[in-house]
RNA sequence: GGCCCCAUCGUCUAGUGGUUAGGACAUCGGCCUCUCACGCCGGUAACACGAGUUCGAAUCUCGUUGGGGUCACCA
């Protein structure tokens, strides 16, 4: 079997869209599973919209996801350059070749002429789609000034059919009569998508072109171009798109659509990859995959044919599953930056942080949540207003004080002995855990929700536990009486 | 409108002629319990419609309807 060479060819016009990530992911998985080559190519021929800043965002996004490329910007390769705007001479040479072989021609039609033709077409009331028929296609004589502003058009075959067997969609047939003479090169030498794409995939020896099925319309003209150039046609895999929950095209309005936003929300790259892989691809009933499993199991014939809708809740769930697969050390490492964001500086190997992670792990889904769930171990208690009003009330002051006294005698200050001591005390005084736990929790954590009380106490340590409990008792004693 | 693609629970999907149509997320009950989670048990919920082929169709064929894409000197 020949070498697999696949590419991801984003146009840097902003953030890296998660739909684009999925396209990149499938190609990357295919390359990795076949020990092939994954190429990154920047399609920046739309100078209006492309910026260097966006290129950096794309590269940074890919790096964060761990989708490494074997050829492309920053890593180089034998088929460069890998930025389209730096390949203009290559496109010019191929365009020239096509003109010489009679497969392309110079078209001097102005935008105004084309617009007029389009308008006339619409007014004619015909049911067919608009195809601009350039008068220059069959005009043997060059214009008075051959250097006048012109584009280079493909002399597309107008009869017959163009077909291919898509890796995910199966056999597709397009009537050539529905295709027009597409523009290859603009007057400024910039290639249009179909031409730049073909020349690049050809010269970069790409063996399989994977992209969203919104590109299916481009495939027939591209195949014609390969044929006109006498080149081998690569395989094509058109995957269905990722839609918004309501079925519309996914955009910023519907969800966090740039991948880096997920990094900032405390998601794991592996979770993003898992969710996106599983959206449109399946392997039996399995839902959770490691990166390695994805590489081993991915195949195009398991890619579905129907468009998938983005589901934030399922995504979060997959993220939570991956978070729980991490070691405590890795969770600590991932959490520290988010603690720092809130001005809590903790080392990744901080013993208190490490000790508390097993307790917060089942209650958190992202690093942000882990950070929020452990912050009171590293700073003073900040009371939740409702919790404080309800549980640090005069009625509980005495119990809080007595609880502190009971705990003071416990040795060692660990969760089992603490629990035994407290249960014994409760029993003796015919008190219920329910009555004592919530006030203590608020006093200790500032919140009404937390890991088990005795776990919190152990991690907090004797000194802080007693101080916070007694402070809580004072606040409770001083609180106004209320009824609710 | 032309062309292209698509159609199983709300969502992601399994299913390749014979299944009580399975799983996951979500949702709703319950258990566990010091709160919140986790976990566990259980429920609701789908083959778009109509013909045809066949002993037998979610699976094959055709049509209808619906959704999406695309008709650029964007990608």
């Amino acid at each position: 079997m020949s070498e697999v060479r696949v590419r991801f060819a984003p146009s840097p016009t902003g953030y890296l869209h998660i739909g684009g990530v999925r396209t990149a992911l499938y190609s990357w998985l295919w390359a990795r599973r076949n020990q092939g080559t994954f190429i990154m190519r920047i399609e920046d021929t739309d100078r209006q919209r492309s910026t260097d800043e966006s290129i950096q965002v794309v590269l940074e996004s890919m790096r964060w996801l761990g989708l490494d490329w074997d050829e492309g910007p920053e890593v180089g390769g034998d088929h460069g350059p890998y930025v389209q705007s730096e390949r203009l001479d290559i496109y010019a040479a191929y365009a020239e070749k096509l003109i010489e072989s009679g497969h392309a021609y110079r078209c001097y039609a102005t935008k105004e002429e084309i617009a007029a033709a389009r308008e006339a077409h619409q007014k004619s009331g015909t049911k067919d789609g608009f195809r601009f028929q350039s008068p220059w296609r069959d005009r043997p004589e060059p214009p008075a000034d051959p250097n006048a502003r012109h584009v280079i058009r493909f002399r597309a075959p107008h009869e017959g059919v163009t077909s291919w067997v898509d890796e995910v969609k199966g056999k597709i047939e397009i009537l050539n009569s529905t295709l027009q003479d597409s523009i290859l090169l603009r007057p400024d030498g910039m290639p249009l998508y179909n031409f730049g794409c073909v020349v690049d995939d050809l010269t970069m020896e790409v063996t399989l072109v994977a992209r969203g099925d919104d590109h299916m319309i481009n495939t027939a003209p591209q195949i014609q171009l390969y044929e006109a150039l006498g080149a081998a046609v690569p395989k094509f895999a058109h995957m269905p798109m990722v839609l918004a929950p309501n079925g519309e095209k996914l955009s910023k309005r519907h969800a966090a659509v740039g991948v880096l936003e997920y990094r900032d929300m405390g998601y794991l790259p592996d979770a993003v990859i898992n969710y996106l892989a599983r959206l449109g691809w399946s392997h039996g009933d399995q839902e959770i995959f490691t990166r390695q499993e994805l590489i081993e199991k991915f195949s195009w014939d398991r890619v579905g044919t129907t468009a998938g809708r983005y589901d934030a809740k399922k995504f979060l769930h997959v993220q939570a599953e991956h978070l729980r697969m991490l070691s405590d050390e890795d969770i600590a490492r991932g959490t520290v930056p988010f603690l720092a964001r809130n001005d809590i500086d903790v080392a990744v190997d901080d013993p208190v942080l490490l000790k508390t992670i097993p307790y917060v792990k089942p209650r958190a889904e992202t690093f942000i949540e882990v950070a929020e769930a452990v912050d009171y171990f590293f700073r003073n208690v900040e009371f939740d207003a409702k919790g404080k009003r309800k549980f640090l009330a005069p009625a509980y002051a005495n119990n809080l004080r007595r609880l502190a006294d009971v705990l003071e005698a416990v040795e060692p200050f660990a969760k089992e002995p603490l629990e035994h001591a407290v249960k014994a005390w409760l029993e003796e005084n015919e008190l219920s855990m329910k009555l004592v736990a919530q006030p203590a929790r608020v006093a200790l954590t500032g919140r009404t929700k937390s890991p088990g009380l005795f776990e919190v106490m152990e991690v907090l340590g004797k000194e802080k536990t007693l101080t916070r409990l007694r402070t809580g008792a004072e606040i409770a004693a001083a609180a106004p009486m209320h009824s609710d």
Side-chain angles (χ1 to χ4, degrees):
Chain A
M1 187 178 149
S2 60
E3 195 202 355
V4 167
R5 289 178 62 85
V6 289
R7 80 329 189 250
F8 177 51
S11 52
T13 56
Y15 42 79
L16 181 55
H17 193 279
I18 54 175
V21 171
R22 195 182 57 147
T23 310
L25 172 63
Y26 286 7
S27 293
W28 182 85
L29 290 171
W30 187 239
R32 291 293 168 260
R33 109 156 259 177
N34 292 288
Q35 284 90 45
T37 303
F38 182 60
I39 304 163
M40 169 92 87
R41 177 172 81 226
I42 304 296
E43 305 210 334
D44 62 342
T45 54
D46 183 350
R47 303 308 287 170
Q48 303 292 316
R49 300 194 298 156
S50 302
T51 65
D52 288 346
E53 201 185 344
S54 300
I55 294 178
Q56 288 312 314
V57 170
V58 169
L59 300 185
E60 177 59 21
S61 299
M62 293 292 282
R63 272 192 293 264
W64 178 66
L65 289 164
L67 302 182
D68 55 328
W69 54 101
D70 309 301
E71 291 181 24
E74 296 184 354
V75 306
D78 297 335
H79 303 72
Y82 293 92
V83 177
Q84 285 191 324
S85 59
E86 297 169 13
R87 298 171 61 82
L88 268 28
D89 51 334
I90 301 175
Y91 307 127
Y94 274 88
E96 205 52 48
K97 241 172 104 172
L98 285 171
I99 290 177
E100 278 167 24
S101 65
H103 289 293
Y105 59 93
R106 297 177 201 280
C107 170
Y108 296 83
T110 62
K111 287 184 182 179
E112 289 70 32
E113 284 177 60
I114 297 170
R118 181 179 297 116
E119 205 171 313
H121 173 266
Q122 276 163 2
K123 279 185 183 154
S124 74
T126 174
K127 292 185 169 189
D128 294 340
F130 173 68
R131 299 161 58 230
F132 179 66
Q133 314 228 25
S134 173
W136 297 92
R137 176 180 168 108
D138 299 310
R139 195 173 296 188
E141 295 296 309
D145 176 9
N147 293 320
R149 188 189 142 91
H150 65 275
V151 300
I152 295 176
R153 274 187 195 271
F154 182 49
R155 196 187 306 273
H158 288 176
E159 278 147 31
V161 299
T162 299
S163 73
W164 77 95
V165 179
D166 198 273
E167 296 296 301
V168 346
K169 304 268 188 186
K171 180 162 187 174
I172 311 284
E173 288 186 315
I174 308 286
L175 254 31
N176 290 344
S177 59
T178 63
L179 271 21
Q180 68 171 348
D181 285 3
S182 52
I183 295 179
L184 270 22
L185 243 36
R186 282 184 276 221
D188 63 359
M190 279 292 172
L192 252 66
Y193 174 72
N194 278 335
F195 188 54
C197 187
V198 166
V199 171
D200 289 346
D201 285 335
L202 182 65
T203 53
M204 293 179 185
E205 300 179 64
V206 168
T207 57
L208 183 153
V209 173
R211 65 210 340 183
D213 68 9
D214 50 334
H215 278 296
M216 258 200 292
I217 196 78
N218 291 317
T219 305
Q222 291 190 8
I223 289 173
Q224 294 178 348
L225 239 20
Y226 281 102
E227 288 169 347
L229 287 165
V233 180
K235 290 179 176 174
F236 292 94
H238 288 95
M239 61 193 77
M241 315 227 301
V242 178
L243 269 22
N246 61 2
E248 291 174 2
K249 204 166 177 174
L250 184 60
S251 75
K252 281 175 286 194
R253 274 187 310 125
H254 307 103
V257 109
V259 248
L260 258 18
E261 292 178 64
Y262 291 91
R263 178 188 64 185
D264 298 340
M265 289 191 291
Y267 280 57
L268 256 2
D270 282 22
V272 175
I273 281 175
N274 187 162
Y275 174 69
L276 257 16
R278 200 47 199 67
L279 180 56
W281 170 86
S282 65
H283 187 267
D285 284 342
Q286 190 171 349
E287 299 283 348
I288 302 300
F289 296 83
T290 62
R291 187 175 292 253
Q292 193 53 39
E293 284 178 302
L294 252 17
I295 291 172
E296 284 161 13
K297 292 170 176 171
F298 179 79
S299 73
W300 291 108
D301 58 16
R302 298 300 314 168
V303 174
T305 49
T306 85
R309 299 185 187 207
Y310 176 86
D311 184 340
K313 284 185 171 167
K314 182 146 191 176
F315 195 169
L316 220 207
H317 175 261
V318 171
Q319 155 61 25
E321 295 275 359
H322 277 270
L323 185 76
R324 285 167 199 145
M325 283 160 60
L326 253 38
S327 68
D328 294 348
E329 289 73 17
D330 284 340
I331 293 181
R333 205 166 294 124
T335 302
V336 163
F338 292 95
L339 283 167
R341 244 195 223 179
N342 293 324
D343 297 317
I344 296 175
D345 290 309
V346 182
V348 293
D349 57 352
D350 182 280
V352 170
L353 179 59
L354 253 16
K355 203 170 177 187
T356 184
I357 282 173
Y359 304 137
V360 303
K361 202 196 291 204
R363 295 159 228 268
E365 301 187 298
T366 65
F367 285 130
I368 286 190
E369 288 179 11
V370 174
E372 283 172 354
V374 303
D375 57 6
Y376 53 83
F377 289 106
F378 306 101
R379 57 155 172 72
N380 290 331
V381 179
E382 284 172 15
F383 294 107
D384 165 71
K386 258 194 200 159
K388 181 179 175 185
R389 199 166 57 90
K390 187 168 179 188
F391 295 112
L392 295 187
Y396 299 113
N398 200 36
N399 280 348
L400 244 22
R401 217 169 359 239
R402 289 167 69 195
L403 176 63
D405 293 342
V406 169
L407 295 174
E408 189 153 24
V410 178
E411 201 64 46
F413 206 82
K415 62 178 184 177
E416 282 89 6
L418 287 168
E419 182 162 8
H420 287 141
V422 171
K423 290 247 162 97
W425 168 66
L426 289 173
E427 219 166 293
E428 238 172 79
N429 295 274
E430 293 182 348
L431 288 168
S432 82
M433 187 69 179
K434 286 186 194 295
L435 241 44
V436 179
Q438 283 304 77
R441 188 182 316 280
V442 174
L444 257 20
T445 71
R447 299 176 184 156
T448 56
K449 307 168 183 176
S450 83
L453 253 196
F454 305 105
E455 294 166 346
V456 171
M457 290 175 180
E458 178 180 324
V459 177
L460 222 35
K462 186 169 186 172
E463 196 188 332
K464 280 187 181 169
T465 299
L466 298 183
T467 305
R468 289 186 184 187
L469 247 21
R470 284 173 175 144
T471 304
E474 279 169 34
I475 293 170
M481 302 287 270
H482 63 81
S483 52
D484 65 346

